[in-house]
Amino acid sequence: AGIAAEIELEPRIAEVGMGAWERLTREEIEAISPGFLAMAEANRDWYMRAPDGERYDDLSNRLGSWLREVLADGRPVVAISHGVAGLMLRGLYMGWDKARTLDQTTPQDAFFRLADGALDRFDLVVAA
């Protein structure tokens, strides 16, 4: 017997909103706000300091709402999102503070399992 699966697009797990910087390259952001990225990146939260963009608490509330709902439901869920949203979900799940949450990497070649209070990383390996 197969496993029945529902596919649902969930806007609450979308990537952080970058306001006026949406769809701009780092070079374009630097041209608009010289020196800003260097200062903000030292705090690892530059993407949450964009003019009219989503702030840490806003993103935490949005993602936390979805995560609480999923955990209360109890069914297994596979969620596919983006780098910053993913690190925030991991931090929320683990109960980490802002500094620990933002200190994570956002790998493009791995996925994470959040289960039974644990966080497991699985690196993708290209078969030869």
Side-chain angles (χ1 to χ4, degrees):
I3 297 174
E6 297 174 24
I7 297 176
E8 179 182 331
L9 296 178
E10 176 53 69
R12 290 178 293 173
I13 63 171
E15 185 62 302
V16 61
M18 301 251 328
W21 290 352
E22 201 73 45
R23 296 183 177 85
L24 297 182
T25 65
R26 292 172 64 94
E27 292 77 20
E28 291 167 329
I29 293 169
E30 185 64 22
I32 294 168
S33 303
F36 182 81
L37 287 178
M39 180 279 302
E41 197 159 323
N43 296 315
R44 301 198 41 101
D45 69 347
W46 68 268
Y47 35 77
M48 293 179 209
R49 296 181 181 217
D52 302 319
E54 201 169 11
R55 300 298 183 246
Y56 182 91
D57 289 340
D58 300 325
L59 182 61
S60 178
N61 291 334
R62 174 168 58 86
L63 292 168
S65 165
W66 175 82
L67 184 60
R68 285 186 300 277
E69 186 177 298
V70 166
L71 292 174
D73 181 77
R75 292 184 296 166
V77 171
V78 174
I80 301 170
S81 189
H82 300 273
V84 177
L87 74 81
M88 179 68 82
L89 281 169
R90 294 189 305 272
L92 289 167
Y93 181 80
M94 297 302 294
W96 293 336
D97 65 12
K98 181 179 179 180
R100 174 66 183 99
T101 295
L102 294 176
D103 195 39
Q104 299 176 81
T105 60
T106 53
Q108 302 298 308
D109 59 351
F111 65 93
F112 297 86
R113 178 179 55 203
L114 312 175
D116 301 321
L119 169 64
D120 299 304
R121 176 179 168 153
F122 297 86
D123 292 304
L124 303 177
V125 178
V126 177

